[in-house]
Amino acid sequence: MEKTQEVEVVKTAYFLEDRIAKLEKEKRQLANNKPQAPTPPLEPQEKFLKAKIVPYPEINPPEVQLPPFWKRGVIILGLTLVATMLSFIPVIGRVFSIVSLFGFWPGVVLLIIDYINTKKEKKRITQENIEKIKNSPEYQRKCQEIDKQNEAEQAKLDKENHEKYVKRYEEYKAACQEYEEKDLKEYNEQIFPAWSNEMTNLSNLIEQTREVLQEVYDKKIIPIQYCNKSALCYLTMFLCTSNFDLKYAIERYDAEVAKIMQREQIDIAKAQLQIGAETLKSQQYANWLNEQIVELSEDGNKTLNSIDNWQKADIAVREYRRYKSRKAAK
């Protein structure tokens, strides 16, 4: 087979693989940009708030006056002190020493008990006085007036809140009607169908292009293990920039793959991808490949023109590109 035909077939296969890759990328982007259905209006909820209440009048009971709690304890402690002083007198001192020894702690305990009892009694009397004031007609009348005032304030607040709720609910019903008649209708009848149709068109374009590509591969010029974009990128560049044939180009490609697999300790698929990426790193090679792709896209070649499905697939892609341009211009 002539090298010219080999170059044309390899270049055509790369062109179709590149087109499929770009269409699949567009399909993924389109899938990620699936339009979301409009959110329905949120139904308002009536609020039940508590009005700030006026507190009942403060109760200030009269100060409770009780006899001093300390008298009994102080008397006992005083007698104990006297007994302690008399204990130093000869003869009778021993008797007073015993009295002073057993009088101190009872006096202290009595002081504590009387203090606690006095506090309890004071608290009881104070509570009784509070209850008397609380149950007095005058205090009850003031409390009733405050209750009426608080009820009136609560009723006023409830009315205001209900009126606001009714207004919000009317606005909600209007928003629901607009949502049903405009937003949801536009989504169901225009936005989503347009997106769905574009997804279907893209899927059909990819499938049509794959069919054309398969016909190229069916010519049995490119071995099946090199029927991928990375391998075709390298083979296209090698064949178009040298005088060697496809057989030698494949040998050089296999040698490069083996070298990268050994160096990077990776499998063959990753090595092939790395070769393709490295080939396109050169701006000169990338520009040249883009020129070849544009040329094939515009003019085709004998290989493409010999495939019945090519014209149909190419026209469909061109139509889709024009559609995308019009959509972007809006």
Side-chain angles (χ1 to χ4, degrees):
M1 179 179 294
E2 294 182 0
K3 180 189 174 183
T4 305
Q5 187 178 359
E6 289 181 342
V7 171
E8 184 178 272
V9 171
V10 172
K11 188 191 298 186
T12 301
Y14 175 75
F15 160 71
L16 294 172
E17 287 280 6
D18 182 73
R19 173 173 282 190
I20 290 170
K22 289 176 179 176
L23 290 173
E24 286 181 335
K25 181 179 179 182
E26 290 183 46
K27 185 179 178 181
R28 288 193 298 272
Q29 291 174 342
L30 185 61
N32 291 335
N33 293 327
K34 179 181 179 181
Q36 297 297 314
T39 304
L42 185 64
E43 182 177 355
Q45 301 297 319
E46 188 166 6
K47 298 178 180 178
F48 298 95
L49 304 177
K50 283 286 186 180
K52 186 178 180 181
I53 63 172
V54 177
Y56 288 157
E58 186 179 355
I59 298 175
N60 296 310
E63 184 70 26
V64 177
Q65 298 295 333
L66 294 176
F69 71 89
W70 46 266
K71 283 187 177 180
R72 290 194 304 171
V74 168
I75 290 172
I76 292 174
L77 289 174
L79 292 174
T80 301
L81 179 61
V82 172
T84 301
M85 295 174 63
L86 293 175
S87 66
F88 293 102
I89 299 175
V91 182
I92 64 172
R94 186 170 182 178
V95 176
F96 287 105
S97 175
I98 295 172
V99 172
S100 65
L101 182 63
F102 289 99
F104 175 77
W105 288 111
V108 172
V109 171
L110 191 60
L111 270 175
I112 294 172
I113 291 173
D114 287 349
Y115 172 76
I116 293 173
N117 289 336
T118 301
K119 290 287 287 185
K120 286 182 179 179
E121 182 65 12
K122 188 174 182 180
K123 183 177 180 181
R124 184 188 66 77
I125 296 173
T126 300
Q127 188 61 39
E128 286 181 356
N129 291 335
I130 290 174
E131 290 299 321
K132 286 180 182 178
I133 296 173
K134 188 182 290 186
N135 295 321
S136 67
E138 183 181 359
Y139 186 83
Q140 290 291 320
R141 179 180 57 79
K142 290 180 180 179
C143 289
Q144 290 172 0
E145 291 176 354
I146 290 173
D147 286 340
K148 290 180 181 179
Q149 182 180 350
N150 287 334
E151 288 173 3
E153 286 297 322
Q154 185 64 52
K156 180 182 176 182
L157 181 62
D158 290 342
K159 182 181 178 182
E160 291 175 353
N161 287 330
H162 184 70
E163 289 174 351
K164 290 178 181 178
Y165 167 73
V166 170
K167 183 179 179 181
R168 290 198 308 272
Y169 197 82
E170 290 298 322
E171 293 172 349
Y172 164 72
K173 289 196 297 183
C176 284
Q177 185 175 357
E178 182 178 5
Y179 167 76
E180 293 285 346
E181 297 177 357
K182 182 182 176 183
D183 297 341
L184 191 59
K185 184 177 180 181
E186 181 183 18
Y187 175 79
N188 289 331
E189 297 181 3
Q190 298 178 33
I191 297 175
F192 184 79
W195 175 86
S196 182
N197 288 337
E198 189 172 349
M199 283 290 291
T200 301
N201 289 338
L202 262 176
S203 298
N204 291 337
L205 288 177
I206 293 170
E207 186 58 32
Q208 290 171 359
T209 308
R210 285 191 188 281
E211 290 175 0
V212 176
L213 176 62
Q214 188 57 51
E215 290 196 45
V216 174
Y217 287 148
D218 287 345
K219 294 183 180 295
K220 306 298 183 183
I221 294 175
I222 306 170
I224 190 170
Q225 63 266 41
Y226 306 102
C227 294
N228 59 78
K229 185 181 176 184
S230 296
L232 291 169
C233 177
Y234 179 92
L235 295 175
T236 300
M237 291 300 307
F238 193 93
L239 288 172
C240 293
T241 57
S242 72
N243 293 321
F244 297 105
D245 60 7
L246 179 58
K247 181 176 180 296
Y248 184 77
I250 288 175
E251 290 174 357
R252 295 306 309 157
Y253 177 73
D254 287 341
E256 286 293 324
V257 170
K259 183 170 68 175
I260 291 176
M261 288 176 62
Q262 185 177 10
R263 184 183 69 211
E264 304 292 341
Q265 295 296 308
I266 55 178
D267 59 33
I268 186 169
K270 291 181 180 178
Q272 289 176 338
L273 289 174
Q274 187 167 325
I275 288 178
E278 288 178 355
T279 302
L280 293 174
K281 276 184 182 178
S282 170
Q283 192 63 44
Q284 179 182 355
Y285 289 164
N287 292 339
W288 183 87
L289 280 170
N290 286 333
E291 290 173 3
Q292 299 303 307
I293 289 173
V294 170
E295 181 183 337
L296 282 173
S297 178
E298 293 177 352
D299 304 325
N301 57 32
K302 290 180 181 180
T303 301
L304 288 174
N305 293 332
S306 68
I307 298 173
D308 294 336
N309 291 330
W310 162 243
Q311 188 175 7
K312 180 181 176 182
D314 190 49
I315 291 173
V317 170
R318 292 173 188 270
E319 284 295 325
Y320 179 71
R321 291 283 175 252
R322 283 193 285 270
Y323 162 78
K324 291 284 286 185
S325 298
R326 291 195 301 270
K327 183 179 177 182
K330 290 182 181 179

